[in-house]
Amino acid sequence: MFYFGADYYPEHWPQARWAEDARLMAEAGINVVRMAEFAWSLLEPENGRFDFTWLDKAINTLSGHGIQVVLGTPTATAPPWLMSQQEELFLVDKSGVRRTFGLRRAYCPNNPLYHEHTRRIVIALAQHYQGETAVIGWQIDNEFGDRCYCSICQQAFQTWLQKKYGTLAELNQKWGTIFWSHVYTEWSQIPVPLDTIASHNPGLNLDYYRFMSDSYRAYQKSQIDILRQYMPHHFMTHNLMGFKYPFLNNYDMTEDLDLVSWDNYVRMQWLEETNVSPTMPALAHDTMRSLKKKNFWVMEQQSGSGGWEIVSPHLKPGELRLWTYQAIAHGADGMVYFRWRTALHGTEQYWHGILDHHGIPGRRYAEVKQIGQELQEIGDLIAGSPVHAEIAIMQSYDTRFAFQVQPNNRRFQYESHIQAVYNGFYDLNIPVDIVSEKDGLQGYKAVIVPAMYVLTEETAANLEAFAAAGGVVVFTPRTGVKDADNAVVNMKLPGLVAKMSGVEVEEYVSLPADQENTIQFGLPDLEEEFPASVWADVLETKGAKVAGWYADDFYANKPAATLNKFGDGTVIYLGTMGDSLFYGAMARWIAALAVVEPLLATPAGVEVAARTTPRGKLLFIMNHTECTQEVVLNGRYCDMLNGETAVSGTITLPFKAVVILLTDKA
Ligand code: GAL
């Protein structure tokens, strides 16, 4: 079953309206809502007094229209009666300032009193709803993504370190605390990395980020454990924040969940430009799908202009549908729009939902209804069908965290670098998975490993085995620089993967904005040149073949990119970074080496993604541009939203259109 829904806040509206909401939802094809994730002060109006009557009534009204429910645990917004009990309930931010009441997610994740109240409300909810058949799953809290630096967290960090290192001698050695006389003689001396000082010990800082990620994971797990006791068959999820959100290790966080879901906001009030490139949600969807190697839900899909103080640019006709099918094409089995109706009160008065403030169905409702009708035709074919990728991009949270500690170059940003690499494949309509450094690599033909800064022996061995067995591995600058303790490795770069790359970095050059170089490729199928920026690794071959050279500066004519045969496979080392043309050429080169075919060739801005259904490959052709586009098909297909009529040759896609075609060539 395909889950099609809305985030619903019945508590914001008179009960007399609920039946009309449920009727309109059902009429639009909505079969699921998420509710209650911010309703703590109604569910427990005062300490220890629970009241579920209103939520029971809302669930009954909805289920009367065949609508199922995902309930949120309400712990992202604790009521004033709780938060006023103790100052230490509030999180302390990196600058040492304690949060105050007024927004949400203001709590310290390690505060024992917060844990106690969390347990009580979650147990009460679980006991009350365990027999309610309309409830199918639970969302824990809402968008975890903070770091606390308070004294409770400091103590918990010290305990975490004790468990990890055993002795202070070990910790001092791993962190290299002899530098600047930081040798700790008591666990209680160890600080948290507040930014009241300019730069902390890199080992300590990386461990703190890991510890914080573990803290939220443990907090989430404490809720999951309770809910599972009462409802072992309900799914547990959390609404993550896509690819870019950097603070928590999403691979760890989702290990304890059954279902990955995430919140997709394409056009935000905080952005200056109207359009976020469609490559960003595409990468986020692929990342979310890759976390558990399973299809996912979008738990909040933007369905109107976003806005707190400022109203973001509006959604044009067709965009809601386009974003919906983009998510589905990349593996969504659930699509829940944020929010059903725009609020009259509160910070998010201008965060527009499917319905405007007045609650009268308009253009966006009509678009949702159209999608709902389409999904009634093709939803069953789609639900559960996998996305198949032959190329993987590898990311690591240790590397992410370590780059947060030391970005290395002002112009370098790990997430943007991964996005740039991804975009090369996206433009070719080649599906990609985003794997972690710990994932198995079987089944892929090529693995791109952008800037794997913290590189362990296990990761190196994993990649070596993959290349030896015939895979293509691609490295980029800042690979293998650090060990797991965030110490610089005592070897020539790229450290542990130098051997498989057949190359060593003679020296690395950090390029500021006013210094660029040029890389000239000299391969039979790649003879172009590109601007080289941000990093220039000056390479010395140790068995690899040179693929490209620098053109300028003291390292002119030295190797900038290499290709090495390793076992049955190929290892490419790209010593510099480039523009979109550079990554486009890289993607073509890698796809050719790995023998990976694009799904379809399309004009720029027309995306193709696919799901493998029992009836064949289902292609989603999506026009993200403002113009009408033509696409030449590579065979005969059935047009699934057009009575399954046969199509071939050239098809025309108007502004923001989506065409869904089934081929039997799967
Ligand atoms: C999400 C959040 C929602 C809502 C939405 C719009 O990040 O989960 O509750 O706030 O953004 O701002």
Side-chain angles (χ1 to χ4, degrees):
M1 163 169 172
F2 191 92
Y3 288 92
F4 190 60
D7 299 303
Y8 185 41
Y9 301 91
E11 67 274 27
H12 296 178
W13 307 97
Q15 295 201 1
R17 165 76 191 196
W18 295 358
E20 174 67 355
D21 282 338
R23 188 189 66 76
L24 285 171
M25 285 180 192
E27 204 173 294
I30 284 177
N31 56 25
V32 68
V33 298
R34 182 201 60 187
M35 291 198 295
E37 83 281 11
F38 297 131
W40 197 338
S41 62
L42 268 192
L43 297 169
E44 190 181 3
E46 52 187 274
N47 200 347
R49 182 168 71 79
F50 298 100
D51 176 10
F52 301 118
T53 47
W54 68 274
L55 189 53
D56 294 346
K57 183 163 182 214
I59 293 174
N60 282 339
T61 309
L62 292 158
S63 61
H65 285 81
I67 297 168
Q68 296 184 303
V69 174
V70 177
L71 284 180
T73 65
T75 48
T77 50
W81 64 253
L82 169 53
M83 294 309 280
S84 56
Q85 281 181 32
Q86 196 186 78
E87 199 195 32
E88 290 75 20
L89 286 165
F90 286 95
L91 173 149
V92 170
D93 70 19
K94 201 173 171 51
S95 53
V97 175
R98 202 178 277 284
R99 287 210 183 138
T100 51
F101 196 82
L103 207 65
R104 58 179 167 181
R105 254 175 30 221
Y107 62 86
C108 158
N110 287 306
N111 182 296
L113 183 64
Y114 204 77
H115 278 247
E116 189 188 315
H117 280 275
T118 296
R119 262 195 309 279
R120 281 192 345 173
I121 182 78
V122 176
I123 288 173
L125 278 163
Q127 286 177 339
H128 189 81
Y129 288 109
Q130 57 181 324
E132 172 54 74
T133 50
V135 175
I136 55 170
W138 291 83
Q139 173 189 301
I140 312 297
D141 205 283
N142 191 78
E143 293 186 338
F144 289 124
D146 301 277
R147 285 175 180 153
C148 179
Y149 295 79
C150 75
S151 56
I152 294 175
C153 287
Q154 181 175 7
Q155 269 179 30
F157 179 47
Q158 290 160 353
T159 310
W160 184 94
L161 291 170
Q162 226 166 326
K163 220 158 131 200
K164 174 168 180 183
Y165 292 102
T167 64
L168 278 171
E170 178 75 2
L171 174 143
N172 282 317
Q173 195 265 324
K174 292 285 200 227
W175 287 0
T177 51
I178 187 62
F179 185 81
W180 282 350
S181 256
H182 289 186
V183 180
Y184 297 105
T185 52
E186 298 285 347
W187 294 98
S188 61
Q189 295 161 352
I190 300 170
V192 295
L194 284 168
D195 69 6
T196 43
I197 68 156
S199 194
H200 286 269
N201 176 297
L204 177 149
N205 214 330
L206 174 57
D207 269 341
Y208 198 72
Y209 291 173
R210 288 171 173 146
F211 156 73
M212 258 303 133
S213 186
D214 284 359
S215 299
Y216 279 98
R217 179 179 177 183
Y219 178 65
Q220 173 182 259
K221 180 88 171 24
S222 72
Q223 299 197 25
I224 293 172
D225 287 347
I226 295 169
L227 293 167
R228 282 226 173 96
Q229 261 179 38
Y230 293 88
M231 287 157 287
H233 304 300
H234 285 55
F235 67 76
M236 302 292 151
T237 190
H238 172 72
N239 53 338
L240 303 166
M241 281 188 274
F243 171 71
K244 266 214 143 177
Y245 210 81
F247 293 150
L248 303 174
N249 183 329
N250 279 341
Y251 293 96
D252 288 352
M253 293 294 288
T254 55
E255 218 170 279
D256 304 322
L257 299 170
D258 306 297
L259 171 75
V260 169
S261 64
W262 82 284
D263 299 345
N264 184 23
Y265 291 94
V266 179
R267 194 160 296 153
M268 299 278 259
Q269 59 155 342
W270 295 281
L271 297 175
E272 298 260 320
E273 72 274 26
T274 309
N275 283 317
V276 167
S277 160
T279 62
M280 287 173 72
L283 169 56
H285 292 309
D286 288 343
T287 308
M288 296 297 108
R289 187 189 66 246
S290 302
L291 288 172
K292 289 186 86 69
K293 316 268 174 294
K294 262 166 73 173
N295 291 348
F296 59 93
W297 282 27
V298 176
M299 195 56 96
E300 297 179 12
Q301 169 61 55
Q302 178 172 13
S303 64
S305 297
W308 287 10
E309 295 77 26
I310 305 290
V311 181
S312 81
H314 61 288
L315 272 58
K316 296 183 180 162
E319 281 189 317
L320 193 46
R321 182 169 175 271
L322 178 67
W323 296 342
T324 299
Y325 283 119
Q326 186 188 34
I328 293 174
H330 286 266
D333 274 355
M335 169 55 59
V336 183
Y337 296 106
F338 187 87
R339 47 188 285 158
W340 170 244
R341 178 172 172 185
T342 317
L344 303 181
H345 303 280
T347 303
E348 297 198 336
Q349 276 172 323
Y350 295 122
W351 212 287
H352 294 77
I354 297 171
L355 302 183
D356 283 320
H357 297 97
H358 48 63
I360 301 165
R363 172 169 75 79
R364 297 193 303 281
Y365 175 80
E367 199 164 315
V368 167
K369 191 169 162 181
Q370 181 195 341
I371 305 164
Q373 280 160 358
E374 291 168 352
L375 287 172
Q376 264 152 27
E377 284 175 40
I378 57 171
D380 284 345
L381 180 64
I382 292 168
S385 63
V387 171
H388 179 64
E390 294 176 319
I391 299 223
I393 295 178
M394 185 181 276
Q395 68 155 338
S396 144
Y397 275 89
D398 276 351
T399 286
R400 268 188 161 185
F401 294 165
F403 275 132
Q404 287 163 26
V405 177
Q406 295 166 301
N408 280 240
N409 177 301
R410 275 182 215 292
R411 287 196 296 162
F412 175 73
Q413 219 250 344
Y414 182 57
E415 288 81 9
S416 308
H417 182 48
I418 290 181
Q419 181 81 59
V421 169
Y422 175 88
N423 291 355
F425 295 101
Y426 172 95
D427 288 342
L428 293 177
N429 298 317
I430 291 180
V432 170
D433 283 344
I434 310 297
V435 298
S436 96
E437 78 276 36
K438 297 189 180 108
D439 281 333
L441 302 172
Q442 305 76 1
Y444 295 113
K445 291 184 171 172
V447 178
I448 328 302
V449 191
M452 189 56 75
Y453 183 61
V454 175
L455 183 71
T456 62
E457 282 177 10
E458 293 76 31
T459 306
N462 192 9
L463 291 164
E464 272 194 12
F466 175 75
V472 175
V473 175
V474 183
F475 295 112
T476 75
R478 308 315 282 157
T479 291
V481 179
K482 296 285 190 105
D483 68 15
D485 301 303
N486 213 4
V488 175
V489 298
N490 189 6
M491 49 185 128
K492 280 196 153 185
L493 299 184
L496 295 171
V497 293
K499 190 173 138 250
M500 69 183 287
S501 304
V503 80
E504 283 177 358
V505 177
E506 205 176 288
E507 64 180 297
Y508 53 78
V509 183
S510 173
L511 295 167
D514 58 357
Q515 272 185 43
E516 294 222 328
N517 208 311
T518 301
I519 178 168
Q520 295 171 329
F521 281 93
L523 297 169
D525 45 354
L526 180 61
E527 248 192 298
E528 297 161 72
E529 64 174 49
F530 303 92
S533 58
V534 187
W535 286 104
D537 283 347
V538 182
L539 304 177
E540 193 182 341
T541 55
K542 298 282 172 188
K545 192 171 124 194
V546 180
W549 290 262
Y550 292 108
D552 309 313
D553 214 329
F554 66 92
Y555 49 98
N557 302 319
K558 296 256 189 171
T562 57
L563 182 147
N564 193 38
K565 286 277 156 217
F566 186 79
D568 292 338
T570 306
V571 182
I572 292 172
Y573 192 90
L574 298 173
T576 188
M577 296 184 179
D579 56 10
S580 58
L581 294 177
F582 174 84
Y583 291 110
M586 290 310 101
R588 282 195 300 278
W589 183 31
I590 295 159
L593 278 172
V595 198
V596 175
E597 292 288 327
L599 291 167
L600 196 65
T602 52
V606 178
E607 177 188 355
V608 183
R611 293 183 61 161
T612 308
T613 77
R615 288 182 59 194
K617 193 163 274 187
L618 195 62
L619 288 190
F620 295 76
I621 308 178
M622 299 165 277
N623 180 5
H624 292 283
T625 73
E626 306 276 315
C627 322
T628 298
Q629 298 281 356
E630 295 201 327
V631 171
V632 183
L633 299 177
N634 54 359
R636 275 173 70 83
Y637 295 87
C638 302
D639 186 341
M640 299 304 284
L641 295 179
N642 201 4
E644 302 202 13
T645 47
V647 276
S648 57
T650 302
I651 57 166
T652 303
L653 284 98
F655 173 91
K656 305 290 178 194
V658 179
V659 170
I660 303 176
L661 303 179
L662 183 73
T663 166
D664 56 5
K665 294 195 302 183

